Amino acid sequence: MDEMVKAALIKWPNVPHCCGWLGLDARGNWYMRDDAAQAAGPFAGGNAQSKGSLLKHDKLIDFIQRNYESDAGGRWFFQNGPQRVYVELEATPLIWRVAPDFSITAHTGEPGRIQRCFIDQHGRLYLETAMGFGLVHTQDMTYAADAVESGLWVPEPALSSELPARFGYVRRPSQAQITA
């Protein structure tokens, strides 16, 4: 976490948390969700209007990713100064990129080390790491398939609907969950 964020937390400890305003899609892109986007439906609902506006400012994206983590309840958030901005997840909290040498990097830029590999009923590939659980980026499935075919990764079957509970993450944090 950035030092300036830590200082803001100390200076303003009681800033209310925020839900619904930020989303992470299945390709590791960040979306700002204004009132209209939130009214159009859930982030992961498949409705283009409900996604919101794609963030394109590199410094803002870097700031979000440096200050992105989860709470004890498996809700992922961006610590924006003294305020936690809880993130709507289209798929998983991390999106893994796979390099030709089969090394992996999260959408945040952090390297990971695979502990286990899973495949769901739709053919989507997921990786469990010490850093967290995530989906393999669609553009990297060729490398991932090579890792599977060579026997380096051995996917275990999984149902996509069971993944959040099994790996302890919340796809759609609500204000009720946070204040309860």
Side-chain angles (χ1 to χ4, degrees):
M1 188 178 299
D2 288 359
E3 289 303 317
M4 66 184 248
V5 172
K6 291 177 186 176
L9 283 166
I10 293 168
K11 189 172 183 179
W12 299 291
N14 298 317
V15 174
H17 301 314
C18 175
C19 291
W21 288 87
L22 187 63
L24 177 69
D25 77 2
R27 295 173 66 88
N29 297 309
W30 295 99
Y31 285 81
M32 186 63 65
R33 302 182 70 238
D34 61 12
D35 287 329
Q38 292 180 51
F43 180 72
N47 175 347
Q49 290 78 22
S50 69
K51 270 198 157 176
S53 301
L54 175 66
L55 294 181
K56 297 179 182 178
H57 192 279
D58 290 337
K59 291 191 187 286
L60 175 58
I61 293 167
D62 289 344
F63 181 64
I64 290 170
Q65 293 181 164
R66 282 193 316 270
N67 296 286
Y68 178 61
E69 55 189 68
S70 66
D71 67 13
R75 295 169 296 256
W76 286 76
F77 63 90
F78 153 53
Q79 189 70 49
N80 183 25
Q83 183 176 52
R84 279 189 180 179
V85 179
Y86 282 89
V87 177
E88 301 272 326
L89 305 173
E90 184 174 40
T92 58
L94 298 171
I95 305 302
W96 292 107
R97 300 305 311 253
V98 182
D101 66 356
F102 310 131
S103 63
I104 60 168
T105 305
H107 71 279
T108 60
E110 296 288 322
R113 187 168 182 193
I114 299 168
Q115 295 173 336
R116 291 191 300 172
C117 178
F118 298 88
I119 191 163
D120 73 9
Q121 71 274 18
H122 305 291
R124 292 179 293 219
L125 194 64
Y126 303 85
L127 303 176
E128 181 182 20
T129 72
M131 194 165 98
F133 185 77
L135 177 67
V136 171
H137 194 287
T138 56
Q139 288 182 325
D140 299 336
M141 285 305 294
T142 300
Y143 299 135
D146 289 344
V148 170
E149 287 178 4
S150 69
L152 293 174
W153 299 359
V154 180
E156 300 173 32
L159 293 174
S160 59
S161 61
E162 296 174 357
L163 295 174
R166 184 173 179 183
F167 294 99
Y169 63 92
V170 176
R171 289 183 58 208
R172 192 168 184 211
S174 70
Q175 197 66 41
Q177 293 172 323
I178 295 162
T179 57

